[in-house]
Amino acid sequence: MYRFLFKHIDNSGLIVFRIFFGLLCFLESVGAVLTGWVRKTLVEPEFTFSFIGFEWLQPLPGNWMYVYYIIMGLFGLLIMVGYKYRFSMFMFATMWTATYLMQKSSYNNHYYLLFILSYLMVLLPANRYASLDVKLNPSLKQISMPAWCKWVFVTQLFILYTYASIAKLYPDWLDTTVIALLMQGKADYPLIGDLLQQKPIHYIIAYGGILFDGLIIPALLFKPTRKFAFFVSIFFHLFNSIVFQIGIFPYLSLAFSLFFFDPKTVKNIFLKKKPFYTSEEVVIPKYSNLIIGLFCVYFLVHIALPLRHHFFKDDVLWTEEGHRLSWRMMLRAKSGTASYQVINKETKNAIPIKLNDYLTRKQRRGASTKPDMIWQFAQYLKQDFAKKGIAIEVYVRAYVSVNGKHSKQLIDPTVDLANEEWHHFKHHDWILPSSFGR
C-alpha cells in the first residue's frame, strides 16, 4: 500500500484542477453578490439559521457581507494563479466554512462539497507548476506528485456518488413522484419546459440519476468505458446546470475528470510545454504513517456520516435528523405551514407573532417544515423577548406534506419548544411520528 500511495506520478491533473478550482471559487463568490444571493440570504434577514452550535457565527452588519464575498473571490483568483497558494487556499476555506455554517436556509450538498474540498486542497502540492509561487521561487517547481494526491479525490467522489445513488432507492423516487414535483416548477422554461412535464422524461431522469451516480466513478476508472462515461457526464451535468441552476457544482464535477484521464493526455491538452514525468519513483516520507492515519480517519467519518439517520427514530424525510452532510441530493419535495403561539409566562396572555415580521420567504419555508429550524426560531423568539424582560413559552402548529402526500402535523403543539434542549445524537420526541416511518 505504501508503494501505491507514495509512488510519484505526473501532476498535470492536479495543476490544471487548481486553475479550474480557483476560477470556480471566484465565480461562486462574485456570482453570489451579482445574483442577489448574498443580499437575500445574508444581508436582508434579521438573523440567520446557523448550524446548531454555531449561533455565534452571524453575518457582518450592513453591507460588509458584500465585501466579505468579494474578498473570497479574490482569494479564488489567487488560488487560480497560484500566488501564496496555501495561504490563499486556507483563507478561502476558512471564509467559505464560516459562511456555510452561519446559514442553512440555503443549504445544499454542493456547498458542503466545496467546504471539504477547500481544506483538502490546502494539503495538496497544487502550486508546484504553472504558478506565480514557482515563478517567484523556482525551487518549488515539481512535475510529479505522490499518487495519494489523486486517490483522495477519487475516494471522496466514490463515497459521494455511491450514497447519492443509494439514497434514491425509495418508492417516491422510483415511481417518479419526486421528479414530477420537482419538474412542476420548471414548466415555464423556454423550449424544454413542456418536455420536462412528460412521464417518460421523469422515468429517464429518475433511473438515469440512480445509474449515473452508481456507475460513473467505476466507468471513469475503467479505460474502455472512460470516454463514453465522460461524454455522459458532460450531458448529465449540463442538464443539471440548466434545469436545476445549482451554481458551479456541475462544472466542478466535470473538472474532477482530470484525475481519471491519463496525465499525459491532460498535459498535452492543457500544459503543452510541461515535461512529462515518467520515473515512477517511490518516496516514502517520514510522516507517511501520519498521512495514512489521518486519511483513514477522514474517510471513515465520511462513510459514517450518511449512515447516521438509520440510528434515529422515524424517517429522515420527515424528521430531517441526519439529512445534512449525507449526500441526500434533491430527494424530496416538502411543503408546509406553521403558526407560532407565544405565551407570556407571567400573564399567560398570548402574544401575536407574524413570521413575515421576522423571516424572509426562504426562511419561512424552513421554519415551517424543518424541525431543527422550527426549534431554532423558537429559541430566537425566547431570546428576543428576554431582551424586553419578558419570559415566554413557544408552541408550534406545523402541518407538512412530503412528496405531495396528505399534510400531517409535524410538531407536538403541547410542547414548549422555547424550553426544549437540542440533541445532536438522539431523536426529539416533540417531532410527531410520520405515517411512513420505520
Side-chain angles (χ1 to χ4, degrees), residues 172-193:
D172 286 352
W173 185 275
L174 297 175
D175 68 10
T176 74
T177 296
V178 176
I179 297 298
L181 290 168
L182 292 176
M183 292 303 113
Q184 284 178 6
K186 322 295 180 185
D188 59 347
Y189 279 21
L191 301 178
I192 61 171

Side-chain angles (χ1 to χ4, degrees), residues 348-402:
K348 301 302 179 184
N349 292 330
I351 303 172
I353 293 292
K354 293 182 179 179
L355 295 186
N356 291 4
D357 294 338
Y358 293 89
L359 306 175
T360 65
R361 182 180 178 184
K362 182 171 282 190
Q363 287 180 322
R364 291 197 299 274
R365 286 201 297 268
S368 299
T369 60
K370 295 177 171 58
D372 60 330
M373 294 176 72
I374 291 172
W375 177 85
Q376 282 181 284
F377 186 54
Q379 299 301 307
Y380 174 79
L381 290 173
K382 178 183 177 180
Q383 295 165 11
D384 189 49
F385 278 93
K387 293 174 185 176
K388 306 169 188 174
I390 303 172
I392 63 168
E393 299 170 354
V394 180
Y395 301 93
V396 178
R397 290 185 180 274
Y399 290 86
V400 172
S401 169
V402 178

Side-chain angles (χ1 to χ4, degrees), residues 150-191:
K150 165 188 172 178
W151 289 103
V152 70
F153 285 105
V154 174
T155 306
Q156 181 69 71
L157 290 173
F158 181 72
I159 292 171
L160 183 163
Y161 281 113
T162 300
Y163 276 120
S165 180
I166 292 171
K168 293 179 175 67
L169 299 176
Y170 82 101
D172 286 352
W173 185 275
L174 297 175
D175 68 10
T176 74
T177 296
V178 176
I179 297 298
L181 290 168
L182 292 176
M183 292 303 113
Q184 284 178 6
K186 322 295 180 185
D188 59 347
Y189 279 21
L191 301 178

Side-chain angles (χ1 to χ4, degrees), residues 264-294:
K264 193 166 190 176
T265 301
V266 176
K267 183 202 85 69
N268 289 340
I269 294 173
F270 295 101
L271 300 169
K272 296 183 185 297
K273 295 182 180 180
K274 177 181 177 292
F276 183 69
Y277 180 82
T278 57
S279 298
E280 297 188 352
E281 182 182 8
V282 177
V283 181
I284 301 177
K286 293 180 180 179
Y287 47 86
S288 58
N289 288 334
L290 178 62
I291 292 174
I292 292 174
L294 287 175

